[in-house]
Amino acid sequence: MSPVYATFGLEPATRVGAVLAGGGYQVHRDFVDFVVDGSPLLFRLADLDAVSPLASDLPPAVLDAQVRALLLEDEPPLPGGRFVLYGCPECADLGCGAVTAVIERDGDDYRWRDFAWQTGEHVDLDRDGYHGTGPFHFHGPAYRAALTALLEGTAAAPSRRVLLIGPRVGLLAKLAAALRGIGVGADITPDATDVPAGELRQYGAALVVSDTQRDALRETFAHTGTVLVDAPAPVVPVLVAQLQQALDRAPEDRRRLTALTATPYAAEIDVIAPGRVQLTAYRVGRLRRTRVRTVLDAVLGPGHHRLPLDPRTVRGEAYLVARTSGGVLVATVRGASSRD
């Protein structure tokens, strides 16, 4: 009896970084995800903040070793023929937890089976197995072609860099430091009016502090393909999120979150694939002090979700930031009361 094949592919993916409330950073990671039967494998694992071993910042020799392992040209790193498919984006330590699976040959083909969450050398499939995920049987030539193409550079994830424009050196310096802290490149210039278009094309997104400069540069950036943040917020973590949203080039069907709107009474979120969603409110008080509150941290299923908000949390000038491991959306709270 011939096996039922699943399709195998690779595509760029992102674990978005963040500036945390305590002043720390959650690192930004670009990686290559596994696509099984037309859908990212990571989407089948709803509550998971992890990246594949095929990260874009790996040295060529390390990436080569990771690919060779998936081709079974090297010994498995874990007992029982198990390989790490997703690991901790901060340190890649197995102790933080990882998604593993047995990878084996079946003639010329490859099979992935017994998916599990693993935190040590051995795994308990009854307790920690991803029951209902796999096994997947991949046609050998297509499987090998996808992985070897990555070594040839044809499946590499895009680099991410932003340009910060304006005379407010203090704000932009803090923003650049925050972006670099999570792994996003950032350059600062007081004025980009005379910068050649070819130089501007290297930036995926731009933020302009001055309304006058923003209007003058709007057409220039439209020609270069650089996304211009249209209404910058006065809060560094929100600015970081706005730039991350601008950098996101994934098609809609590859995003867990596709829409976010907010009033003082409710946030409305559209979810494509199940996943953990964190919703954070940032409120700017009369003395320009920022107050931060987490209003949601839960796994949401596909569909349209209306989440009640406490108007006291978002009164005045307020913003909501929705995050999943692979994307971020920002919304200004419309119609908020001016009372502090």
Side-chain angles (χ1 to χ4, degrees), residues 176-243:
L179 289 164
R180 292 165 187 156
I182 65 172
V184 176
D187 294 325
I188 302 174
T189 181
D191 187 357
T193 305
D194 297 325
V195 178
E199 188 173 335
L200 294 176
R201 285 193 181 93
Q202 67 182 297
Y203 298 101
L207 182 142
V208 187
V209 174
S210 163
D211 293 340
T212 303
Q213 283 197 58
R214 192 180 311 118
D215 292 338
L217 290 167
R218 196 178 305 279
E219 186 174 349
T220 300
F221 282 115
H223 287 304
T224 64
T226 303
V227 179
L228 188 62
V229 175
D230 198 46
V235 182
V236 168
V238 181
L239 288 172
V240 169
Q242 288 181 310
L243 285 162

Side-chain angles (χ1 to χ4, degrees), residues 1 6 64 93-94 106 128-129 131 180 183 215 231 237 262 335:
M1 183 176 177
D64 182 85
D93 192 311
L94 184 63
D106 181 7
D128 299 321
H131 306 292
R180 292 165 187 156
D215 292 338

Side-chain angles (χ1 to χ4, degrees), residues 13-106:
T14 299
R15 186 266 196 160
V16 294
V19 179
L20 304 178
Y25 298 111
Q26 175 178 289
V27 71
H28 175 107
R29 297 293 302 277
D30 290 313
F31 64 100
V32 176
D33 198 7
F34 309 109
V35 179
V36 179
D37 285 338
S39 178
L41 182 58
L42 196 57
F43 277 18
R44 300 172 187 256
L45 311 170
D47 188 17
L48 185 65
D49 179 17
V51 299
S52 83
L54 307 177
S56 63
D57 54 358
L58 290 177
V62 178
L63 179 62
D64 182 85
Q66 296 288 358
V67 170
R68 300 301 174 196
L70 293 171
L71 291 170
L72 300 184
E73 296 177 5
D74 288 330
E75 290 298 313
L78 298 170
R82 303 192 72 82
F83 293 80
V84 173
L85 299 182
Y86 297 102
C88 174
E90 301 288 341
C91 66
D93 192 311
L94 184 63
C96 293
V99 176
T100 67
V102 174
I103 301 180
E104 59 190 8
R105 291 291 294 269
D106 181 7

Side-chain angles (χ1 to χ4, degrees), residues 107-193:
D108 194 40
D109 299 331
Y110 294 80
R111 184 187 294 112
W112 290 12
R113 62 174 175 84
D114 296 339
F115 290 78
W117 178 253
Q118 191 165 349
T119 57
E121 188 175 1
H122 300 283
V123 64
D124 184 336
L125 287 177
D126 290 334
R127 183 189 65 194
D128 299 321
Y130 283 98
H131 306 292
T133 300
F136 301 118
H137 198 105
F138 301 120
H139 189 246
Y143 180 90
R144 287 189 293 273
L147 287 167
T148 55
L150 181 63
L151 294 180
E152 296 164 1
T154 57
S159 61
R160 295 172 184 268
R161 195 163 192 84
V162 301
L163 182 62
L164 312 178
I165 307 165
R168 295 169 60 184
V169 177
L171 172 65
L172 297 185
K174 290 179 182 178
L175 177 57
L179 289 164
R180 292 165 187 156
I182 65 172
V184 176
D187 294 325
I188 302 174
T189 181
D191 187 357
T193 305

